[in-house]
């Protein structure tokens, strides 16, 4: 978690587009899995905080889209993460 917080507050992230930062921060936190429960919810909250701080609307993942969302996370775990998949949810 320390490395994640350092990365999140680094100059590198300051140069990222807010949507890209939100997506990467979400993915990094959900893969760290620091909590017994609520990792996905916490990661989505962080993603929405980053987006809203930059003036973007929050991401809303509809119940009927959850399977697709989880498929994108699994794709990312396999090393073939495509950022545009996450951007689908920024409305």
């Amino acid at each position: 978690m320390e490395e994640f917080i350092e990365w999140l507050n680094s100059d590198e992230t300051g140069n990222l587009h807010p949507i890209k930062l939100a997506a990467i921060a979400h993915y990094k936190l959900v893969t760290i899995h620091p909590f017994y429960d609520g990792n996905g919810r916490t990661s989505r909250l962080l993603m929405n905080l980053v987006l809203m701080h930059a003036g973007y609307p929050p991401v809303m993942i509809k119940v009927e889209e959850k399977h697709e969302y989880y498929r994108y996370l699994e794709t990312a775990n396999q090393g073939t993460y495509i950022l545009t998949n996450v951007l689908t949810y920024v409305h």
Side-chain angles (χ1 to χ4, degrees), residues 1-2 4 10 16 18-19 21 44-46 51 54 56-57 64 74 77 84 88:
M1 277 300 292
E2 270 184 50
F4 173 70
S10 71
L16 292 175
I19 294 175
L21 173 59
R44 289 187 298 276
L45 282 170
L46 173 62
L51 289 171
Y56 289 90
E64 59 270 12
E74 183 59 34
N77 287 338
T84 54
T88 303

Side-chain angles (χ1 to χ4, degrees), residues 3 7 16 19 24-26 31 37 51 59 73 88-90:
E3 286 180 30
W7 171 82
L16 292 175
I19 294 175
I24 294 170
H26 166 272
T31 56
D37 188 32
L51 289 171
V59 169
L73 289 176
T88 303
Y89 295 102
V90 180

Side-chain angles (χ1 to χ4, degrees), residues 44 61-71 89:
R44 289 187 298 276
I61 301 172
K62 299 174 186 169
V63 172
E64 59 270 12
E65 296 175 339
K66 282 244 178 179
H67 291 293
E68 189 173 15
Y69 162 75
Y70 291 130
R71 188 169 49 86
Y89 295 102

Side-chain angles (χ1 to χ4, degrees):
M1 277 300 292
E2 270 184 50
E3 286 180 30
F4 173 70
I5 298 299
E6 286 178 25
W7 171 82
L8 194 58
N9 293 313
S10 71
D11 291 337
E12 173 190 348
T13 60
N15 296 323
L16 292 175
H17 188 281
I19 294 175
K20 188 172 185 178
L21 173 59
I24 294 170
H26 166 272
Y27 179 71
K28 283 180 176 265
L29 185 58
V30 83
T31 56
I32 293 169
H33 207 84
F35 310 112
Y36 177 74
D37 188 32
N39 291 286
R41 289 185 299 269
T42 303
S43 297
R44 289 187 298 276
L45 282 170
L46 173 62
M47 176 174 58
N48 283 331
L49 175 67
V50 170
L51 289 171
M52 291 188 300
H53 187 262
Y56 289 90
V59 169
M60 304 296 235
I61 301 172
K62 299 174 186 169
V63 172
E64 59 270 12
E65 296 175 339
K66 282 244 178 179
H67 291 293
E68 189 173 15
Y69 162 75
Y70 291 130
R71 188 169 49 86
Y72 291 148
L73 289 176
E74 183 59 34
T75 300
N77 287 338
Q78 296 169 4
T80 54
Y81 184 68
I82 300 171
L83 183 63
T84 54
N85 292 340
V86 173
L87 301 182
T88 303
Y89 295 102
V90 180
H91 301 221

